[in-house]
Amino acid sequence: MAGCSRLRQLVHRTNFVQLQPVITRGFSTSGSSLSIKSGQQGYNLYTDVLKPTAFGVGASAAAFSVAATVCDRKQKEQRASWRRGTLLGRAQTGSNLSSTDLKSLSKLPAGAVRDTAVSLLQRWRSLQPHQQTLYGITGINLLVLAGWRFRALQGFMQRNFLHHFPPIATRTYTLLTSTFSHQTLPHFFFNSVALISFGSGVHDRLGSEQFLAVFVAGGLASSVVSHLARVKRRPGGASLGSSGAVYAVFAMMAYFEPQAKAQFIFLPGVPIALETLFPCLVLLDVVGVLSKWRILDHWGHLGGALFGYVYARYGQTAVWGRRDKLVLPSS
């Protein structure tokens, strides 16, 4: 399988704040609010448990709804273009730019700026669909990584692209934004290699819209599971990185192509079938959870892997197979 010849590392969501161990745990009620007691700190059931869970489910549903709507409208536009002969004319002229592209480019100043824009857009249009999707995700991650490089932006980045666990968690949307956030180049690099290695095969089966929805939902599943595990077991700390979403893609690839082989970073030069590699990595994360290892976000890995496996087995029929019900009404 193309794109699966080498896996440098299935990388991690990194904890940058020391997590505090749970001393005692119990339940108490205060008025109409139920809190979880841990040591001397209380955790609100709504803000620390129900709200982030609802956000994860709602944002995932929204991602699939948007994906279904875009897919539906793209199919309608393609059918209309064929009827008008637009696609045929484009094929005959050899141009990969649509009339909409040319109209937008005509608004740019003539000369080097327009020529550069035309060249870049032609290169982008010449890419395969899976390349556009995977490079697009990588590009977003790279922009966020660049934001971490500026000292003046550190406060902004920590508030908006780092998900903090209770008792300091205040922004639910960072369950999503932290999925596209990496503080270090190695972290970004390994996640990107893993995504591109396995993403092409999964993308070819799902298509751009469904793949993007799965990536977002897998990242959210990872973040929510990681968050809930910290609420119950180790309050405090923070997490970021796209490895939960990458794990979801990896789980789907292992389900679709179990005989495909990849190389694990700790065993270079030894191809391992995905049907063996995937359960071994899951087992490693289970051991990490039971042993309370804190270098990697093992709960996040397991959340992403579980989502990917379940979606690969049931999602294409139960969710995407009924996407007509998810399409948003036209304005």
Side-chain angles (χ1 to χ4, degrees):
M1 173 59 66
C4 293
S5 61
R6 188 168 184 83
L7 173 62
R8 297 289 184 184
Q9 185 179 22
L10 200 61
V11 290
H12 59 284
R13 294 177 61 88
T14 308
N15 298 317
F16 289 97
V17 181
Q18 183 67 33
L19 302 177
Q20 301 299 321
V22 176
I23 301 173
T24 61
R25 187 185 304 117
F27 293 90
S28 68
T29 56
S30 177
S32 60
S33 176
L34 179 63
S35 297
I36 302 173
K37 288 292 186 180
S38 176
Q40 297 179 349
Q41 298 176 341
Y43 299 94
N44 185 275
L45 180 64
Y46 170 72
T47 58
D48 296 335
V49 178
L50 298 181
K51 185 178 178 181
T53 302
F55 177 85
V57 173
S60 297
F64 279 100
S65 181
V66 170
T69 302
V70 172
C71 182
D72 178 72
R73 293 177 182 175
K74 182 185 292 186
Q75 291 175 345
K76 290 179 179 178
E77 290 175 359
Q78 288 176 342
R79 289 193 293 267
S81 296
W82 277 115
R83 286 194 295 268
R84 294 193 303 265
T86 304
L87 295 181
L88 179 61
R90 227 197 293 180
Q92 290 174 339
T93 60
S95 173
N96 59 3
L97 299 181
S98 66
S99 57
T100 303
D101 293 332
L102 296 174
K103 184 178 180 180
S104 300
L105 291 169
S106 66
K107 299 177 182 179
L108 296 175
V113 173
R114 184 185 298 179
D115 292 343
T116 301
V118 170
S119 177
L120 291 175
L121 188 56
Q122 285 179 330
R123 287 177 178 272
W124 177 257
R125 297 298 190 207
S126 68
L127 296 175
Q128 296 295 318
H130 74 269
Q131 293 176 315
Q132 292 182 349
T133 300
L134 299 175
Y135 294 167
I137 293 173
T138 303
I140 293 172
N141 290 348
L142 183 60
L143 288 175
V144 178
L145 173 67
W148 285 107
R149 301 301 93 195
F150 293 94
R151 181 172 298 180
L153 295 178
Q154 290 302 297
F156 173 83
M157 299 300 294
Q158 290 185 21
R159 289 190 302 271
N160 296 286
F161 289 92
L162 184 65
H163 183 68
H164 296 275
F165 303 120
I168 57 177
T170 57
R171 292 174 171 83
T172 306
Y173 63 81
T174 56
L175 289 165
L176 175 60
T177 57
S178 64
T179 297
F180 298 90
S181 181
H182 304 81
Q183 279 189 326
T184 66
L185 186 59
H187 190 192
F188 163 79
F189 173 77
F190 288 127
N191 269 342
S192 299
V193 168
L195 174 63
I196 293 173
S197 296
F198 297 113
S200 59
V202 176
H203 186 284
D204 289 343
R205 286 178 173 267
L206 304 186
S208 300
E209 294 80 16
Q210 187 181 186
F211 181 90
L212 286 170
V214 165
F215 185 86
V216 169
L220 284 166
S222 169
S223 295
V224 170
V225 169
S226 178
H227 177 98
L228 296 179
R230 296 310 190 281
V231 169
K232 183 178 180 180
R233 295 176 179 273
R234 298 196 299 260
S239 182
L240 84 172
S242 60
S243 63
V246 172
Y247 242 106
V249 173
F250 177 47
M252 296 184 73
M253 189 64 189
Y255 181 85
F256 293 145
E257 299 288 345
Q259 298 301 319
K261 296 183 183 298
Q263 296 184 32
F264 190 40
I265 187 173
F266 299 117
L267 295 172
V270 182
I272 304 174
L274 297 187
E275 63 181 354
T276 301
L277 181 59
F278 175 65
C280 286
L281 292 177
V282 169
L283 179 60
L284 178 64
D285 284 312
V286 171
V287 173
V289 167
L290 296 177
S291 302
K292 300 182 179 180
W293 295 344
R294 298 183 182 182
I295 298 176
L296 308 181
D297 189 349
H298 299 286
W299 278 111
H301 289 179
L302 294 174
L306 178 61
F307 173 85
Y309 177 81
V310 171
Y311 190 87
R313 186 162 186 174
Y314 305 107
Q316 287 186 282
T317 301
V319 179
W320 200 248
R322 303 175 181 177
R323 64 182 179 276
D324 57 307
K325 303 181 184 301
L326 300 174
V327 174
L328 298 172
S330 301
S331 57

